[in-house]
Amino acid sequence: MKLTFLGTGAAEGIPSPFCDCPGCEYARAHGGRNVRRRQSVLVNDDMLIDFGPDIFPSCAALGLSLCGLKHLLVTHSHADHFNVDHLKMRSRPFRLSTELPEMTMIAGPSVWSKWSELGGSDQGAGIRRRIILPRQSLELPEYSIASLAACHHLQIGDAMNYIIDDGTVKLLYASDSGYYDEPVWKELQNHYFDAVILEGTIWNRPAGREHLNEGDFVRMKDRLRSIGAITDETLVIATHFSHQSVDSHENLEKSVAWHGARCAYDGMTVEIVPVKK
Ligand SMILES: [Zn+2]
Ligand SMILES: [Zn+2]
Ligand SMILES: [Zn+2]
């Protein structure tokens, strides 16, 4: 399974144009990996996780086309993960000469309401609708998908993390979420992951309920290991960083590496290989 990180920043991105915190000022001055677009991850070449407001600059910067996209998996309806107006650009009037495959979009009810309320059309954008709720699973020709209740966007209640199996490896996509509730840990006992994408939104800030700081990132990783869902060999990738929680990519990378994980940056590609249990 190949992963391409299109964006690795939280809602405001880094640098936020409206902020002069140390993280933003450093990113403005130094550019490169310090700059983080809003989060999205491409799985192989045919499945995208989340469709935020930076999809277009990300694809342009990385020389990527999404013409081969067959599946779109959406975690929740926050603006940094789902942008209706940009997704409408898949419609026929905006790509006259290009034939696209039908794209299965898998998302919870609040994402679908946002899509409908803001004028999205399944038929217009070539979308096959699959509604998913936390604790459900579904089969696609190339993937098995299972959803977990994320500890996030709690006043709405349908934010999800996903388990993605492409037949060769199994990935846990754990963003956005705070430390999981106990029922989720019970579900995870039956799984073994070759890789985990784990958020670190509020890395150097005090702990929060709906995002992970450094301490909770470590608690999640340790708990996954203690229930046998990962081993020390499993690749754990940290992502979804807020400008107010980092100073530089270099320091963040060192801090993440200290916990045996890899720090994602925009444009990073990783080939996930099966890990022996
Ligand atoms: Zn987010
Ligand atoms: Zn800032
Ligand atoms: Zn969110």
Side-chain angles (χ1 to χ4, degrees), residues 28-29 123 134 144 216 237 249 272:
R28 242 174 241 124
Q123 200 188 0
S144 302
D216 281 340
I237 302 169
H249 173 75
I272 307 295

Side-chain angles (χ1 to χ4, degrees), residues 76 78 80-81 152 176 211:
H76 64 301
H78 274 158
D80 54 324
H81 296 265
H152 190 73
D176 301 1
H211 284 298

Side-chain angles (χ1 to χ4, degrees), residues 250-262:
E250 199 185 350
N251 285 344
L252 184 60
E253 195 172 41
K254 278 185 203 148
S255 176
V256 169
W258 176 255
H259 301 299
R262 193 184 299 182

Side-chain angles (χ1 to χ4, degrees), residues 31-181:
R33 293 180 184 178
N34 298 289
V35 172
R36 295 179 187 274
R37 293 177 292 253
R38 268 65 70 87
Q39 182 156 310
S40 180
V41 179
L42 184 65
V43 179
N44 296 323
D45 293 314
D46 57 1
M47 175 185 280
L48 187 68
I49 307 174
D50 286 340
F51 198 94
D54 288 335
I55 288 293
F56 292 93
S58 298
C59 288
L62 302 175
L64 271 179
S65 139
L66 296 180
C67 289
L69 207 61
K70 291 190 204 152
H71 313 291
L72 171 61
L73 200 53
V74 185
T75 54
H76 64 301
S77 57
H78 274 158
D80 54 324
H81 296 265
F82 186 58
N83 183 292
V84 170
D85 286 330
H86 289 3
L87 188 53
K88 283 184 195 166
M89 295 301 134
R90 201 177 186 269
S91 306
R92 179 58 83 182
F94 305 111
R95 50 158 180 105
L96 292 172
S97 63
T98 302
E99 291 304 326
L100 295 180
E102 186 181 54
M103 183 179 78
T104 305
M105 176 166 137
I106 301 133
S110 65
V111 170
W112 287 113
S113 336
K114 190 174 175 182
W115 173 242
S116 301
E117 278 160 21
L118 297 178
S121 152
D122 295 8
Q123 200 188 0
I127 287 173
R128 182 160 160 260
R129 184 180 291 229
R130 296 292 297 265
I131 301 161
I132 192 166
L133 293 166
R135 304 187 63 182
Q136 288 187 340
S137 56
L138 59 84
E139 294 295 323
L140 301 168
E142 301 88 351
Y143 300 94
S144 302
I145 306 291
S147 63
L148 300 166
C151 190
H152 190 73
H153 210 192
L154 294 170
Q155 73 275 35
I156 298 295
D158 67 352
M160 283 170 276
N161 288 173
Y162 291 110
I163 295 165
I164 303 166
D165 188 338
D166 72 351
T168 56
V169 299
K170 203 155 142 184
L171 169 75
L172 170 61
Y173 186 84
S175 179
D176 301 1
S177 181
Y179 189 82
Y180 286 145
D181 288 333

